[in-house]
């Protein structure tokens, strides 16, 4: 789900990744931060660190930016072994094009208008742990 605007502690969305199946299944909480940033300069490493700081043991983070990750921030993520999924603007564009095709939208504009219309349906004010109850 997407978190409510205020009081989210710097987290914009919550998800879950299931690994394995049946008795061997592990459910992992994913805390995400999304930033709409200028594509002319890299995302700020402070935002990455803030996202990682919100993680509890066994959780992973996701940082999504419309920009890109500097070589320095990529090195920091790798060197510090941050459990962080990094999604840049190019990946967002690729995935958006796939979603447009899957949804049968005729254009990016139509897809985004549909997305804006349904956005409120995904807003929830819950604890991240609640994603395990789904």
């Amino acid at each position: 789900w997407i978190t409510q605007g205020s009081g989210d502690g710097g987290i914009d969305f919550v998800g879950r990744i299931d690994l394995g199946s049946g008795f061997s299944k592990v459910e992992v909480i994913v805390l995400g931060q999304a930033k709409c940033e200028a594509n002319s300069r890299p995302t700020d490493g402070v935002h990455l660190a803030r996202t990682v700081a919100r993680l509890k043991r066994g959780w992973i983070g996701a940082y999504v930016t419309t920009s890109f990750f500097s070589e320095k921030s990529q090195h920091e993520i790798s060197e510090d072994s941050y459990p962080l999924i990094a999604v840049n603007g190019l990946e967002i564009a690729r995935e958006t094009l796939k979603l447009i095709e899957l949804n049968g939208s005729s254009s990016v504009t139509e897809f985004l208008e549909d997305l804006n219309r349904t956005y409120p349906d995904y807003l929830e004010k819950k604890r991240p742990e609640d994603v395990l109850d789904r």
Side-chain angles (χ1 to χ4, degrees), residues 72-125:
K72 181 181 176 187
S73 63
Q74 292 176 53
H75 180 72
E76 184 176 339
I77 292 168
S78 177
E79 191 68 27
D80 292 343
S81 299
Y82 287 159
L84 188 69
I85 299 167
V87 181
N88 64 31
L90 180 59
E91 287 300 316
I92 293 172
R94 287 179 179 151
E95 292 303 314
T96 300
L97 291 175
K98 289 179 190 175
L99 289 171
I100 289 169
E101 186 175 327
L102 283 172
N103 289 339
S105 300
S106 61
S107 68
V108 173
T109 303
E110 180 185 324
F111 173 74
L112 293 176
E113 287 171 353
D114 288 343
L115 192 59
N116 280 335
R117 194 170 30 261
T118 60
Y119 180 83
D121 298 339
Y122 296 101
L123 293 174
E124 295 189 34
K125 188 170 179 86

Side-chain angles (χ1 to χ4, degrees), residues 36-97:
C36 184
E37 301 171 299
N39 62 9
S40 58
R41 56 182 203 179
T43 191
D44 188 344
V46 172
H47 297 303
L48 299 173
R50 186 174 184 212
T51 302
V52 172
R54 301 283 186 269
L55 302 178
K56 293 183 180 178
R57 173 180 268 170
W59 294 7
I60 61 173
Y63 190 93
V64 180
T65 178
T66 54
S67 180
F68 61 97
F69 298 93
S70 68
E71 189 173 323
K72 181 181 176 187
S73 63
Q74 292 176 53
H75 180 72
E76 184 176 339
I77 292 168
S78 177
E79 191 68 27
D80 292 343
S81 299
Y82 287 159
L84 188 69
I85 299 167
V87 181
N88 64 31
L90 180 59
E91 287 300 316
I92 293 172
R94 287 179 179 151
E95 292 303 314
T96 300
L97 291 175

Side-chain angles (χ1 to χ4, degrees), residues 1-3 11-18 26-33 55 58-62 85 122 124 126-134:
W1 65 80
I2 300 169
T3 62
I11 297 302
D12 294 323
F13 61 91
V14 177
R16 185 179 85 199
I17 295 176
D18 296 344
V26 176
E27 298 170 337
V28 180
I29 294 174
V30 180
L31 292 185
Q33 179 73 21
L55 302 178
W59 294 7
I60 61 173
I85 299 167
Y122 296 101
E124 295 189 34
K126 294 181 174 184
R127 299 173 317 120
E129 293 87 348
D130 293 341
V131 77
L132 300 176
D133 296 334
R134 292 185 175 226

